[in-house]
Amino acid sequence: MRAAIIHAPGDIRVENRPDPVVTTPTDAVIRMVATCVCGSDLWHYRGINKVKGPAPIGHEYMGVVEAVGDSVTTVSPGDLVIGSFISSDGTCGICTDGYQSACVERSFVTGAQAEKLLVSHADGTLVTVPGRPDKSLYPSLLACSDVLGTGWFGAVAAEVGAGKSVCVVGDGAVGLCAVLAASQLGAEKIIAMSGHSDRQKLARRFGATDIVDARGDEGAAAVKDLTGGLGAHSVVECVGTGESMKQSLASCRPGGHVGYVGVPHGIELTGKDLFGPMLHLHGGPAPVRRFLPDLIDRVISKTIEPGLVFTDTFTLETIADAYRAMDERRAIKAFISFD
Amino acid sequence: MRAAIIHAPGDIRVENRPDPVVTTPTDAVIRMVATCVCGSDLWHYRGINKVKGPAPIGHEYMGVVEAVGDSVTTVSPGDLVIGSFISSDGTCGICTDGYQSACVERSFVTGAQAEKLLVSHADGTLVTVPGRPDKSLYPSLLACSDVLGTGWFGAVAAEVGAGKSVCVVGDGAVGLCAVLAASQLGAEKIIAMSGHSDRQKLARRFGATDIVDARGDEGAAAVKDLTGGLGAHSVVECVGTGESMKQSLASCRPGGHVGYVGVPHGIELTGKDLFGPMLHLHGGPAPVRRFLPDLIDRVISKTIEPGLVFTDTFTLETIADAYRAMDERRAIKAFISFD
């Protein structure tokens, strides 16, 4: 099969690789229908995370099941499926609590930017898409696999709900999906922090009621001004830097909730940061599997259109261009089509 | 009046001071019926927190109202009252959310180790004790002012509830009260971390089902062993050091809740600490006022006896001995009687 391989920062190549095969009874192999480039792939592409290359890359996927192991019962060859970027057994105490991304048997999916993908713990990881959805829905369906699921978890972790004020820090695709989630979850005021007009526009379309262009202390002060001087009830942190985390804490009211889904780079909090502001903190790698059936339903029923985060489409053979477009922030998010 | 004054680390003296008087319409002055020494007073007594002395000290109190300002409506002269260690207006958006300890008008009470005390924002801070409780209830009533209220908030912040497993880190009076709170809140398994037989005994009396003597990684491993290998659903951190916080995080299962009420000294968490374990974190200075009416009811009805944390009784004139007894851990907590 053909697969994207990262060799070094900035060096993505498409190469021939052996087709994956079922090796344990809980495995499935899928043929890719759509994949994409994640903001977290850029940590490697930019050399901020060490590249142990050459290595397969990519962890967002929608595909058709080709083969399953003997013990797999919930998906069958021919099914159109979506899974999370972390495989989970679905049965341990952590999974049944809804924290599949911390499953005792978890493993991180990688190699989804390829024609085929091996998914372990298929029963606990994959969800079948009902019916035969129109291809126009593929971007929105694929978004469920990570970017929407992550933004959604960020909003849930921040306890977004009816009548609340929400601030979303980060205007990448995850942040924009967190805005969409906040809107779906009934938030009254949704403040998107963004300095880019194209992203501001999409944030508005997804339900943002206010846009704040400023950052840091100035940004937090602007959020307080918009929330009666107290700060937002819920803040969703979708960047992962020390600066963005501090800004998120400073934007939240005492007793409020900060949900963080940005992969952390350079975050350090002291006891004073934790104790004084009386915030609730929760986050981590999103347990996307918890939300997948609901999110797929919302896409199929055309209640939401998260696929709008895909501003550019590429093929697997031109995926290096997709990385460049995202790295240079020309694309919000790059869709990889297999048509 | 007579009042305890801290001059320097280890130097507590009882001196004459002017009686406090009502100066603003929301003030109350109370005549002390009972006070005590807090674990957090020891931070100053031990010189770990800087002493800006000579200064009044003490913040746990029960007293009889002597005078109130013109706008005070909920307490009257002659009422037996208990208040929180932080005064709060009771009306701002943060107070009405139940976070009175972060009230926009908050101030920290100090000078309660004295014959009289000025309490600002009396309506938002003080709660009247119903009836004429027997003096044998005074220790338990006084405990509501901070040590029980703080342990209770720690348990609530850790989302303790029916059927859950709880680990309490710290066997000081607050930790022991957190054990009591966990028991009252319906926890199924309550693991008290303690290496002292007297404290272990009280923890058992308050409802601990298991005692773990070990600390650090070994302590966390023991908690995991007691919770099916996953960690406790809820962990209450009642110490405040970097080591105890790390131990608390390590003792909690993914998706679980850590409530922290230990005043922080030397805590530093990285993004990795926050992101990977998928915990909920919440804590800070307890909004005791939220819980006071309920806690007083539980004491009056003899449902709970938190006053058992007071192992030794002193008078105001011998309060320096009370500090010594707590500093040397001979007393779990020292009660100051005004009989």
Side-chain angles (χ1 to χ4, degrees), chain B:
Chain B
M1 69 167 181
R2 301 286 286 167
I5 305 293
I6 185 164
H7 285 256
D11 184 3
I12 301 281
R13 305 178 206 169
V14 181
E15 302 176 355
N16 292 321
R17 285 261 163 163
D19 280 10
V21 291
V22 166
T23 55
T24 73
T26 53
D27 285 348
V29 169
I30 66 171
R31 179 172 45 76
M32 209 60 65
V33 167
T35 186
C36 54
V37 180
C38 181
S40 66
D41 294 330
L42 296 183
W43 292 112
H44 296 92
Y45 186 79
R46 291 171 173 162
I48 296 166
N49 284 8
K50 195 173 175 184
V51 175
K52 295 171 191 161
I57 188 166
H59 55 263
E60 299 173 81
Y61 57 97
M62 174 167 67
V64 173
V65 176
E66 281 209 333
V68 296
D70 289 343
S71 74
V72 174
T73 61
T74 62
V75 299
S76 308
D79 286 356
L80 180 64
V81 294
I82 301 173
S84 160
F85 57 93
I86 294 176
S87 71
S88 50
D89 67 13
T91 57
C92 75
I94 304 302
C95 280
T96 54
D97 280 351
Y99 283 88
Q100 293 91 340
S101 49
C103 169
V104 297
E105 296 285 345
R106 76 170 176 182
S107 60
F108 284 83
V109 172
T110 192
Q113 291 162 6
E115 288 180 314
K116 296 188 181 183
L117 177 69
L118 178 72
V119 180
S120 61
H121 292 294
D123 277 338
T125 307
L126 298 172
V127 175
T128 300
V129 180
R132 287 282 155 199
D134 189 80
K135 282 189 178 179
S136 64
L137 292 180
Y138 283 6
S140 288
L141 285 169
L142 176 66
C144 301
S145 178
D146 180 354
V147 63
L148 175 62
T150 293
W152 199 277
F153 171 61
V156 169
E159 296 276 338
V160 170
K164 287 193 179 179
S165 54
V166 182
C167 166
V168 176
V169 176
D171 64 358
V174 169
L176 293 165
C177 285
V179 169
L180 178 61
S183 174
Q184 288 283 305
L185 294 166
E188 185 174 295
K189 181 183 281 289
I190 303 172
I191 305 163
M193 312 296 290
S194 175
H196 304 82
S197 65
D198 57 333
R199 292 159 192 257
Q200 290 173 355
K201 201 171 157 188
L202 189 48
R204 290 267 186 204
R205 180 151 175 189
F206 278 168
T209 57
D210 299 86
I211 304 285
V212 169
D213 191 343
R215 289 184 177 203
D217 290 346
E218 201 189 330
V223 173
K224 289 201 169 165
D225 281 348
L226 287 166
T227 52
L230 301 178
H233 292 105
S234 300
V235 178
V236 192
E237 199 290 319
C238 305
V239 182
T241 62
E243 187 186 50
S244 65
M245 180 60 100
K246 291 276 166 113
Q247 180 183 319
S248 297
L249 300 186
S251 301
C252 194
R253 73 174 59 198
H257 292 77
V258 178
Y260 46 90
V261 291
V263 180
H265 288 80
I267 291 175
E268 277 186 16
L269 298 183
T270 65
K272 200 176 161 190
D273 297 322
L274 294 169
F275 199 78
M278 300 214 71
L279 305 178
H280 298 77
L281 303 183
H282 183 44
V288 172
R289 181 61 183 80
R290 189 203 310 176
F291 307 106
L292 266 180
D294 175 46
L295 299 182
I296 291 170
D297 279 354
R298 289 178 196 248
V299 168
I300 296 284
S301 65
K302 299 187 181 175
T303 308
I304 57 174
E305 194 179 355
L308 291 169
V309 297
F310 294 109
T311 50
D312 297 76
T313 298
F314 301 83
T315 65
L316 184 59
E317 296 300 327
T318 61
I319 197 168
D321 297 333
Y323 273 85
R324 264 190 296 277
M326 281 184 64
D327 180 39
E328 294 164 9
R329 295 204 104 200
R330 286 183 279 113
I332 295 179
K333 195 168 173 74
F335 184 75
I336 310 298
S337 166
F338 287 77
D339 281 348

Side-chain angles (χ1 to χ4, degrees), chain A residues 310-332:
Chain A
F310 294 110
T311 50
D312 297 77
T313 299
F314 299 83
T315 65
L316 183 60
E317 297 299 329
T318 61
I319 196 167
D321 297 332
Y323 274 84
R324 264 190 296 278
M326 280 183 65
D327 179 40
E328 294 164 9
R329 296 205 102 199
R330 283 183 280 114
I332 295 178

